[in-house]
Amino acid sequence: MERPVASSLDSSSRRLRESTRRSLRGSTAARRLRRARTFAPLLETLESITLLSVMVDQLGTVTPTSAPAANGSPGGGYAPAQILSYYGLNNITFQTGSGGKVAGNGAGETIAIVDGMSDPNIATELQAFDQQFGLPAPPSFQVLNQSGGTSLPSAGNSGEQLEIALDVEWAHAVAPDAKIVLVEANSMNSGDLLTAVQTAADLPGVVAVSMSWGGNEFSGETSYDGYFTTPSGHAGVTFFASSGDQGGASGPLWPAISPNVVGVGGTTLSQTSTGYTETAWSGSGGGISLYESQPSYQAGVVTQTSTARTSPDVAYDANPSTGVEVYSSAYGGWVEVGGTSAGSPQWAGIIAIADQGRAALGEGSLNGATQTLPDIYSLASDFHQITSGSNSVYSAGPGYNLVTGLGTPIGSLLIPALVGQGPAQPTITSITGLTLTGVEGTSINGSIASFQDSSSSATAGDFSATINWGDGTSSVGTVTLGANGAFLVNGSHTYDDSGKYNVVVTITSTGDGSGSVNASANVSDAPLTPKGLSSTVAAGKSFTSIIGYFYDGNPYGTVGEFTGTINWGDGHTSTATLQSNPSGGFEIIGTHTYLSAGTDTVKITITDSGGSKTVVTSTITVTGSSTGTGNPSSPSQPPGYPGYPGWGGFGGWGGFGGWGGWDGWGGWGGFGWVMTIGSGGSFTGGSSSIITGWWGGFGSITSDSGGLQGGYGAVTIGSGGGYGGWTSQPVQIGRQAPSWNWF
């Protein structure tokens, strides 16, 4: 059951509603606001701005006490150590450039708090708070008026003073080494408060502005959302506002509903014998905006609407029954205070710690509208999701809800994530290069690297990867979550050639974190497939033809990568000529002359530059009569010289002469008539007698462009051979050869 709300807050709200419109119409602050901005003058439509805190003690009345409550706090509320421990804010550290560590406490950052009216005792109240809980004094604590001066407004009522004490003390509790500036507006009217917001955001070093107040939505509110943006030329500023303490019935409040503001809802944080439980607080304001469009960072995360802005964005302990300890002179000392206004300054402290970590990396502070809000919506796993409870209109549940937003922070996860740039901001660690194996010409697929991230909340979508494959090409890798929380970089590539390749994998977070590692790819030579042929040739005749084929398993292989050696099966070898076949594969071409009839098995050894080999086996059937043992292609037997037109040329050395036989092209004829054996072919002698002794016959005669050429050859017949003569005139086909002069 909720404890009673202090009556001073109700009277303050009534006074605000009665005075706000009058003050807006003619106040100097309102006129200054219209001059400072180009917005249309719609401030008259603003509803009253209400302090969003409620205060109770254990008896239901505000009763100062000096006796510690059961939980160790003098007023019965949670102490800083308890809150910081539950929300994971007590052990944040950052790495320094020298390799050391510093505590995450907001050092070097400034938090601005905007409240209405003045608390004249705030300095001594903060001192009492620090002494009670062993906190250091802030490095700097300033109190300014809404214009930035030191002439402060009149003292507020007890509720307004309590609000100031709550905001200052708990912003300091979360970020004890951050500087604090309290900007006090002249009144609780909207013109004065917005002027104070503008002043606070413009102050040097300010990274967060906390606003524990709000009012009902109004039709012109979008014209004033610009007040909650980082000033030009200023480092990033994040704005926080309480979402309201009246539950869902009154709808969302502005400025918490502004798309430029982080709206903070409320929970009930209950301590049990085993720890804590957290549920939605019934007073947490929230809902769907009537006027603000859905910002891009809520798209796909907010399911309650696809067109409008919703609030809250986040939550924090707010139930007065589970409130925090505050020292307020207006209430005589220690009191337990709740309300969503307790969460806004503490969230400002969280962002100050994150910006401290970013500063250590040389990065600027976060911009609320363009960085903080998009970042937190991408980090749902860095929050305690609140799945039970309601605010009378909406219920909490898994994922985003209209009572507690994304949930309450897990500081040990959220702050390191915010320290990077962009969503997720992972810290890449333990990168390991892996090895892929495959075959040239065939796609290689698999994991090429693995890595881990320091945050357990990171997802595969937080990273991208580029793979340089070591052959002059690169591609984008795919990051997946593997076993034991490790991430894998997967890639696919086809190598044109075999070999071992050095692969470089570069992994980049969605912010600025990155790392590289060397991996490798072992690519083997593609297999070769042989294809033999069967063919028939004539004995004694030189031939040049395709004697086999082979196919490379690598479709990118070229003919220049291969060599071939032919074993003709007759004791002779030669080098093959290789050429691509238009239909695929490669042709093996050889030139040879078989001297004897028969069947020969030809083996062609094909060698790839990558080391692969194959043997192509073909069969050649040799037909016809056997010829001499001489080999016209032998290097020891020089070729003949071409004849001149009308004159016979000198032939090469002949082989063994047979009965009226011939050797090779245009074999050696006997003495006597010459006859045509085919067009452009060989001639043989017409003599039927056996010629013996040293006398040789006339050599081959072939047609050459209408002329004839003689041969000069030696034949061995029986015991010896003679030399043929040479023609003294063209020899016509079918005519008797002239007489020969022998020498």
Side-chain angles (χ1 to χ4, degrees):
M1 176 178 179
E2 289 186 27
R3 297 169 181 174
V5 177
S7 60
S8 59
L9 179 59
D10 296 333
S11 62
S12 174
S13 298
R14 286 194 297 272
R15 180 180 64 80
L16 288 168
R17 284 192 293 271
E18 293 167 358
S19 64
T20 298
R21 286 195 174 90
R22 293 196 300 273
S23 64
L24 287 172
R25 289 192 180 96
S27 69
T28 300
R31 290 195 299 271
R32 180 174 181 270
L33 175 63
R34 288 193 288 268
R35 288 197 302 270
R37 301 286 181 175
T38 59
F39 306 145
L42 295 174
L43 287 176
E44 289 79 11
T45 63
L46 264 168
E47 296 293 335
S48 61
I49 301 297
T50 305
L51 286 172
L52 299 176
S53 66
V54 290
M55 172 275 301
V56 298
D57 67 3
Q58 292 177 316
L59 300 176
T61 60
V62 182
T63 306
T65 177
S66 58
N71 61 6
S73 297
Y78 284 124
Q82 294 170 296
I83 291 293
L84 269 59
S85 176
Y86 174 74
Y87 288 125
L89 303 172
N90 55 336
N91 289 313
I92 303 296
T93 59
F94 299 116
Q95 196 82 21
T96 65
S98 60
K101 290 185 177 181
V102 296
N105 51 25
E109 311 303 326
T110 302
I111 300 170
I113 295 168
V114 175
D115 279 317
M117 307 303 291
S118 177
D119 178 3
N121 301 305
I122 185 58
T124 58
E125 290 166 350
L126 178 59
Q127 185 179 24
F129 184 84
D130 290 343
Q131 290 176 346
Q132 175 66 36
F133 298 112
L135 297 173
S140 173
F141 177 51
Q142 288 181 286
V143 183
L144 303 175
N145 63 32
Q146 67 185 37
S147 300
T150 57
S151 179
L152 303 179
S154 302
N157 61 37
S158 59
E160 292 162 343
Q161 292 186 43
L162 176 65
E163 181 64 62
I164 293 173
L166 167 66
D167 294 350
V168 171
E169 291 169 16
W170 279 88
H172 177 57
V174 171
D177 275 11
K179 301 174 184 177
I180 295 179
V181 179
L182 171 63
V183 182
E184 297 178 331
N186 292 339
S187 70
M188 283 302 298
N189 76 64
S190 55
D192 289 341
L193 288 168
L194 291 179
T195 298
V197 169
Q198 184 179 12
T199 295
D202 283 333
L203 292 172
V206 167
V207 298
V209 176
S210 174
M211 304 173 289
S212 294
W213 40 266
N216 293 334
E217 282 198 279
F218 59 101
S219 60
E221 68 190 38
T222 58
S223 298
Y224 300 96
D225 289 335
Y227 273 86
F228 314 115
T229 57
T230 300
S232 177
H234 196 284
V237 180
T238 302
F239 297 81
F240 296 91
S242 306
S243 70
D245 297 336
Q246 303 303 313
S250 60
L253 300 186
W254 186 88
I257 195 65
S258 169
N260 298 330
V261 174
V262 181
V264 183
T267 65
T268 298
L269 179 63
S270 302
Q271 189 173 21
T272 68
S273 59
T274 57
Y276 294 89
T277 61
E278 196 169 21
T279 59
W281 177 44
S282 60
S284 180
I288 301 172
S289 176
L290 298 173
Y291 307 107
E292 304 278 5
S293 298
Q294 186 178 75
S296 60
Y297 55 76
Q298 285 193 321
V301 180
V302 173
T303 59
Q304 292 80 2
T305 174
S306 61
T307 59
R309 163 77 163 136
T310 61
S311 77
D313 299 299
V314 296
Y316 214 84
D317 178 38
N319 190 333
S321 298
T322 63
V324 294
E325 197 73 18
V326 175
Y327 187 86
S328 172
S329 300
Y331 283 89
W334 294 102
V335 289
E336 181 180 9
V337 181
T340 55
S341 66
S344 180
Q346 293 186 73
W347 265 98
I350 290 172
I351 213 66
I353 296 173
D355 284 335
Q356 174 196 358
R358 289 174 61 84
L361 296 177
E363 301 294 339
S365 54
L366 292 166
N367 183 306
T370 62
Q371 290 179 291
T372 307
L373 279 159
D375 284 5
I376 63 176
Y377 271 89
S378 71
L379 298 168
S381 59
D382 292 354
F383 289 82
H384 300 285
Q385 286 196 9
I386 311 303
T387 58
S388 62
S390 71
N391 63 2
S392 76
V393 176
Y394 305 106
S395 296
Y400 177 91
N401 62 72
L402 296 173
V403 189
T404 61
L406 296 167
T408 58
I410 305 174
S412 58
L413 299 180
L414 179 63
I415 291 176
L418 291 172
V419 165
Q421 281 198 346
Q425 312 305 340
T427 301
I428 300 169
T429 61
S430 304
I431 308 176
T432 303
L434 305 176
T435 299
L436 285 176
T437 59
V439 178
E440 63 175 357
T442 303
S443 178
I444 300 174
N445 305 284
S447 299
I448 192 66
S450 67
F451 66 95
Q452 291 184 328
D453 174 64
S454 61
S455 171
S456 61
S457 65
T459 65
D462 296 330
F463 306 94
S464 61
T466 300
I467 306 171
N468 184 324
W469 292 101
D471 62 351
T473 62
S474 298
S475 66
V476 175
T478 301
V479 179
T480 60
L481 181 61
N484 301 320
F487 293 96
L488 298 174
V489 178
N490 306 294
S492 176
H493 187 59
T494 300
Y495 285 96
D496 292 351
D497 298 299
S498 61
K500 184 172 183 178
Y501 294 86
N502 182 47
V503 181
V504 179
V505 183
T506 301
I507 305 159
T508 305
S509 75
T510 47
D512 60 354
S514 64
S516 297
V517 69
N518 290 327
S520 61
N522 294 331
V523 183
S524 60
D525 208 21
L528 304 177
T529 303
K531 181 181 180 181
L533 295 177
S534 296
S535 57
T536 301
V537 300
K541 285 191 175 183
S542 175
F543 64 90
T544 300
S545 65
I546 298 172
I547 58 173
Y549 297 90
F550 68 94
Y551 300 89
D552 187 7
N554 177 10
Y556 305 102
T558 61
V559 70
E561 300 174 13
F562 306 98
T563 58
T565 301
I566 308 171
N567 185 329
W568 291 100
D570 62 354
H572 296 92
T573 62
S574 64
T575 300
T577 298
L578 307 176
Q579 66 182 28
S580 299
N581 187 316
S583 300
F586 301 92
E587 300 171 350
I588 306 170
I589 301 172
T591 299
H592 190 56
T593 301
Y594 283 104
L595 301 180
S596 302
T599 300
D600 292 276
T601 299
V602 180
K603 294 184 179 295
I604 310 107
T605 301
I606 302 297
T607 303
D608 190 345
S609 59
S612 289
K613 288 187 177 183
T614 191
V615 176
V616 180
T617 302
S618 296
T619 302
I620 297 180
T621 300
V622 184
T623 62
S625 302
S626 299
T627 62
T629 60
N631 189 344
S633 63
S634 172
S636 63
Q637 300 176 10
Y641 298 94
Y644 296 93
W647 295 93
F650 293 94
W653 294 103
F656 182 84
W659 174 269
W662 43 269
D663 178 39
W665 286 96
W668 312 107
F671 186 84
W673 292 88
V674 292
M675 300 174 62
T676 303
I677 302 302
S679 175
S682 302
F683 297 85
T684 62
S687 173
S688 61
S689 61
I690 299 176
I691 301 175
T692 61
W694 287 94
W695 306 111
F698 175 64
S700 65
I701 305 174
T702 58
S703 174
D704 184 9
S705 301
L708 297 172
Q709 295 179 339
Y712 177 71
V715 293
T716 301
I717 305 174
S719 61
Y723 291 92
W726 50 277
T727 59
S728 60
Q729 59 182 323
V731 179
Q732 303 297 319
I733 297 176
R735 294 184 64 185
Q736 183 179 5
S739 301
W740 311 113
N741 295 320
W742 303 104
F743 57 91

